[in-house]
């Protein structure tokens, strides 16, 4: 017979961790890697304490840089590999168009999101720069790098002209004005013979792609060049939105210009500076657009392109760089890769845009915050429904309590007080008045034991002004160095009456809790 005792079975408590956790660094310092020329760290790491494992851990607060690195690595590798594997050139050309449109949307996001200027003249600036560079290249033999420089100058000049009404018009009226400028540019290009009205565009400009390259080599070089333009646009977005100009504009959002002026922020100047920087960047992208496609066409000013750009921003999320990139990826993927669907692909984009507007607050990248708010609300409602069974913590307070044992303790204390309230009767009060010290009944002993273990914060006590002659009731602060406060002006001549006065006040607070 085996008399040895079997070891007890141990069960894990708590949730399973699906993410790897970095161990505590102990005495070693955490070397923070910062972005060049900024004070922003690449990864925000915070040391935390795990109450379950009793261990120190490091937690990555913002995981966006990790997702950005993985996403950009996938964009650099997957489209060329998929194009070679499928032996299809359409995928690589669509990826190049995606990168160009993503660069345009990133810069446009600075105008709409950061500066708060509702300008629809983005394609007008890009198209003007593209046509100017293509015309100079065809007429005077301007090289492709000169086309990009000319595009930047044209974009700056166009930004100056368009920024003048922005000082007097805002919102819907300024959007209508810039929309009219886009249509004016389209009509001028379509009716101009010098800009290729008879041939449907202006083609024959210089390109950065050498003529000796094969078709696949041209597509590869074009895609990586467009991806490089998107990375430069992303760097510009981070530099403007995350630095001084972006902070100034975020400190004084829309309809708070008076607040900006009160704290010494030149709100209008900051908006115009961001607008001019963005217009110059759009001009550079327009010059690159002309060198990439060896010309320009009136479709740049078309209303369908403008609506597609709006769909990209609305679906992805206004005011975020990741929203601009992912929204562009979805719309371009549906528009360029699902050509077999015909006009139905535009209907699909419209349905996706409508669903995004109806079901989300700020595009796809606003769904996380929306889901977390919904989850916290459901949890708060569940806690509120359980409060009638003894819970005392308010739903909005319970979300902020890290140690959930506090909630359980308050719930137990609430149940205890509800049970003790039934024991406060005239007979118990009279028993304490007759004999405040000594042996008591069960009901009175339970009340006195609960009062004795109560917290020191605002706990009633006695102060002897004159021993054996004068006593007063005070309330302790519970904080070291803070003196107690006097409850009232009543004085008691003997100790038993003072004890009973304290008991009555404690019973009154118990019944009112």
């Amino acid at each position: 017979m085996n008399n040895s005792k079997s070891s007890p079975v141990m069960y894990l408590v708590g949730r399973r961790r699906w993410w790897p956790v970095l161990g505590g660094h102990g005495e070693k310092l955490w070397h923070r890697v910062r972005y060049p020329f900024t004070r922003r760290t690449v990864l925000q790491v915070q040391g935390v304490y795990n109450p379950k494992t009793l261990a120190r851990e490091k937690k990555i607060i913002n995981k966006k840089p990790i997702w950005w690195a993985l996403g950009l690595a996938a964009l650099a590798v997957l489209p060329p590999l998929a194009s070679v594997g499928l032996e299809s050139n359409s995928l690589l050309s669509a990826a190049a168009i995606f990168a160009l449109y993503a660069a345009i949307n990133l810069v446009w996001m600075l105008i709409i999101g950061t500066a708060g200027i509702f300008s629809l003249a983005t394609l007008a600036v890009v198209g003007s720069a593209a046509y100017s560079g293509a015309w100079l290249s065809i007429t005077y033999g301007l090289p492709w790098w000169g086309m990009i420089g000319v595009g930047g100058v044209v974009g700056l000049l166009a930004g100056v002209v368009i920024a003048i009404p922005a000082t007097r018009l805002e919102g819907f009226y300024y959007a209508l004005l810039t929309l009219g400028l886009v249509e004016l540019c389209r009509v001028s290009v379509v009716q101009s013979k010098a800009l290729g009205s008879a041939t449907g565009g202006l083609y024959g400009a210089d390109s950065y792609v050498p003529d000796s390259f094969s078709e696949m080599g041209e597509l590869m070089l074009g895609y990586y060049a467009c991806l490089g333009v998107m990375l430069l646009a992303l760097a510009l977005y981070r530099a403007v939105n995350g630095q001084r100009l972006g902070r100034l504009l975020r400190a004084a959002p829309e309809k708070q210009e008076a607040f900006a002026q009160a704290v010494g922020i030149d709100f209008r100047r900051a908006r115009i500076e961001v607008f001019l920087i963005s217009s110059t960047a759009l001009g550079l992208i327009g010059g690159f657009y002309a060198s990439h496609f060896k010309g320009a066409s009136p479709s740049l000013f078309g209303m369908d392109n403008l609506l597609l750009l709006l769909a990209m921003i609305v679906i992805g999320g206004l005011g975020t760089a990741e929203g601009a990139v992912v929204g562009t990826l979805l719309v371009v993927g549906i528009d360029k890769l699902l050509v077999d669907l015909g006009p139905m692909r535009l209907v699909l984009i419209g349905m996706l845009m409508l669903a995004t507007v109806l079901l989300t607050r700020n595009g796809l990248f606003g769904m996380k915050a929306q889901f977390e708010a919904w989850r916290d609300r459901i949890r708060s409602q569940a806690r509120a429904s359980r409060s009638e069974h003894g819970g005392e913590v308010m739903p909005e307070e319970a979300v902020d309590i890290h140690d959930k044992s506090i909630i359980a303790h308050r719930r137990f204390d609430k149940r205890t007080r509800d049970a003790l309230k039934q024991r406060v009767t005239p007979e118990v009060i009279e028993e304490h008045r007759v004999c405040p010290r000594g042996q008591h009944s069960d009901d009175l002993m339970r009340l006195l034991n609960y009062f004795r273990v109560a917290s020191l914060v605002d706990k009633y006590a006695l102060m002897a002004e004159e021993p054996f002659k004068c006593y007063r009731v005070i309330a302790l602060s519970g904080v070291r160095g803070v003196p107690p406060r006097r409850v009232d002006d009543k004085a008691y001549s003997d100790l038993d009456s003072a004890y009973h006065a304290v008991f009555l006040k404690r019973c009154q607070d118990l019944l009112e809790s």
Side-chain angles (χ1 to χ4, degrees), residues 207-226:
S207 178
Y208 60 88
V209 180
D211 297 333
S212 59
F213 274 39
S214 62
E215 183 179 2
M216 181 58 69
E218 292 180 0
L219 291 175
M220 285 283 188
L221 180 60
Y223 170 68
Y224 282 113
C226 294

Side-chain angles (χ1 to χ4, degrees), residues 166-225:
T167 59
R168 305 181 64 88
L169 296 177
E170 289 185 358
F172 180 71
Y173 294 100
Y174 187 75
L176 286 180
L177 174 65
T178 53
L179 186 62
L181 291 177
V182 175
E183 185 63 20
L184 179 63
C185 292
R186 188 189 68 82
V187 173
S188 301
V189 169
V190 169
Q191 295 181 357
S192 176
K193 294 182 179 180
L195 297 179
S197 60
T199 59
L202 194 63
Y203 294 101
D206 188 28
S207 178
Y208 60 88
V209 180
D211 297 333
S212 59
F213 274 39
S214 62
E215 183 179 2
M216 181 58 69
E218 292 180 0
L219 291 175
M220 285 283 188
L221 180 60
Y223 170 68
Y224 282 113

